[in-house]
Structure formats: C-alpha cells, structure tokens
Amino acid sequence: MQWSELEDQACSVSRTISVIGDRWTLMILRDCFLRVRRFDDFQERLGIGRPILADRLKKLVDAFVLTKVAYQNNPTRYEYRLTPKGLDLYPIIMSIVHWGDTHMAGKKGRPLLHHHKTCNHQFDPVMVCSECAEPLDPREVRTSLGPGARHPQHMPVELAAGVHQRSAKAKSSDEARPKATGRAKLKAPAGA
Amino acid sequence: MQWSELEDQACSVSRTISVIGDRWTLMILRDCFLRVRRFDDFQERLGIGRPILADRLKKLVDAFVLTKVAYQNNPTRYEYRLTPKGLDLYPIIMSIVHWGDTHMAGKKGRPLLHHHKTCNHQFDPVMVCSECAEPLDPREVRTSLGPGARHPQHMPVELAAGVHQRSAKAKSSDEARPKATGRAKLKAPAGA
DNA sequence: CTGATGAATGCCGAATAGGAACTTATATAA
DNA sequence: TTATATAAGTTCCTATTCGGCATTCATCAG
C-alpha cells in the first residue's frame, strides 16, 4: 500500500494518518502547540533537515492544518499558524504527551507541566464520553457500522466476520443517530 | 536525526512517537482496539507486507504495548494482545478517529460509530481537564517546565527564549520578535 | 556590489517498503 | 504414506522514499 492510498480509504484512522502519521509531522505539530511558528525556529528546535521541514509544512498547509500568514513585507515572510482544523488536533497531541508522561518518562519526571487557566490547576488530559462524561475504557465501548462504512477490513472483527464485500447494513441495535442528549457542553463537533 | 535517537530525548512526544509514530503501527493499533489479534488477520485487513507486520509487532511487543499469548499448542501459536500500557493508548487512537470523523469523513458520514455501554449512548470522545472536567482548549492551557525538563528545544517558545543554552545567533531573533510574556512565571507548580 | 537572511531545491547515498516465495510445525485428508 | 492446509513467520530482491549537504533564490542592509 502506498502512502497516497491511505487517504482514499474509508477509515478515519487511515485518513488522519495520511495527514499526521509521520514522525516529523507530529513533532512539528507539537511545536505548533508550543507556539513555534517560523521556519528556522522549527528547524533549530527539531534538528530536522530543511528540505524535510519544507515538505512537511507544505503538506500541512495543503491539508489545511496550518496556514501561512505574512508577518512582514519586503521580502514577504510567512509564519505557520494552526487553523481551526489544526487546533482540533490538540486532543491527539495531548494524548500523546500524556501517554509519554505516564509510560515513557524518565526518573526525573515529566518535562512539561500543563496548567489550565480556566480552573487555575495543573492538570492531566482525560478522555471522556460526550454523553455521560465518564472516562473512556475501551472495554466499555462497542463499535458499530456507520453510514460511511464500506470495507470489512475497517470493521471490528465481530462485525467483519459475516460481511464479505459490499457495504453492510448496520445491524447493531442503535444504528440510527447520535442523538446527543445529555451534557451539551461536552458535545463534540458532530462531524460529517 | 535517526529514528532511534527519538526515544532518547527528554520529550514525551518524542518518546511516544518512537513507539507509535509510524503509519503501520498506528493502523495495527487501531485494529488491536477492534479486537484483531492474529498475524494473518492483521495482514489481511491491513494489506501490509508480512515482513513489515512482523517487524512492527515485534517492536510493539518489545515496547510492552502488545504481548504474545499462546492460544493453542501443537504447534504453539500466539496472538497479540494489548497490555495495560497498550490499552492506555486508547485516547490517542480515539482522538485520531474522532479527528478523522470530524475533518476527513466523506459525504457518507463516519465509517464507525461508538457506543458506550456504561451509559448506553452513542458518543464522541472529548478531552477534558482532569481537575475541572471542562473540555480542553489549547488557548486556555499554559505550559511550564517540569522536573524532567532539560533542553530548551522542548519548551514552549516563550520559555525557551530566556534559557541560556541557546545558540549564539539567537540574539537577532530575540531582538526582532515581539516579546511575548516576560520570564515572570517560569517556575513550575510544585505538586500535582 | 557584497553579504546576510529566510526559505526552497537538487543531488545522492542510505534506509525502508512491498511482493513473492520459502520455512517450520502440525493436523487433517486422500 | 503422501499430500494439503494452516498459522506465523523469514529470506531475498527491487523500487521507492527519506534525510542531509550544498546550492539556489529573492530581498534588503550597508
């Protein structure tokens, strides 16, 4: 499978990985959230080669994750800023940071601390259910087919087992709609 | 920078990326959470080459993200299961899925739906603050140095700017740039 | 004009991906 | 007994991609 085929797949993970599934891209994005914006700053902080950096930045701009903003004229120079789409990557980056803090930190502890201005506490990111606000445990989640489902290889094994080529009818009980009852403030963008 | 150098860095993102920052690895992990466990199932679902699959599985086992469990004897065959450390990757995978659902879904909608057994609702994952349970907005988060902090290139720009270890040519950049915040609050909050 | 700065390219060796066939070990079928 | 099927790899080879160095490009300061 080629890199470019990934984004054509009917799988959200594949398509996301086609944008961010690259070592350098993730490092660049981390720096973006640390408010790094200029080519040479990225280059110096990451120790990345300039050609690769240029390539990754261009791809991120093409994917509307970053946008080039002129910060001076004559010559016009640009800096790279996160778009709203790029800002939405925050949970991914924070999840990665938190996993690293939890499982990969050296004996000295975590390198960075996060302080929430809203509540004025140091915090950890927690992934919760949009409906009941409970932290998510993978064993408490059941996956079912959505309207965009196409290929069995993107389904959980227990659903893929009976399906062979074509789009399967969602056979789970609540196939219908997300119907967000419950805490409105937790409701994530519905997407699609 | 080599792949192998990443894991030596004092940055949680670097170290995490050294484990999961690979296209195939992320796809494999997605399948793990969809309860795929056997070599040939991974191979068939992902269309990945067998050598690469074997390599990635081995790396994940070495990183204690997966573990090999014998599911039969004569001949002994193993399947791959997520360890607790691997299960902790769930927020990362879910963040990726959700971003893809939100920003990369085709017109047909998302391929998979997630149902929370705990509350019996279809849901989206939301990343919240562990202290106040509010959804996280990157602009409401301030980053500060933790006990494991070492290199300025892992700090947010406004903190790295004041650190001495910076290379000599930094003077011009500091001059030309609007001073963000001073270095007033560099000190990390004491305990979590 | 010359040099400095910020950014993008070309070239080339090294690493990686991908496919096909091969291996091992056993159970089942002919 | 031989043959076939199965699961989990491994070996080998080719083609692509990656990463780093040096260069190029455009513009402004002097």
Side-chain angles (χ1 to χ4, degrees), chain B residues 171-185:
Chain B
K171 45 119 184 100
S172 57
S173 336
D174 285 344
E175 194 78 75
R177 212 154 294 167
K179 298 267 195 265
T181 60
R183 7 186 342 198
K185 302 205 156 191

Side-chain angles (χ1 to χ4, degrees), chain B residues 121-142:
Chain B
H121 282 98
Q122 188 182 313
F123 71 97
D124 286 315
V126 181
M127 177 142 286
V128 303
C129 169
S130 59
E131 306 304 308
C132 69
E134 284 292 309
L136 287 176
D137 176 339
R139 284 160 291 206
E140 287 299 308
V141 173
R142 191 166 47 85

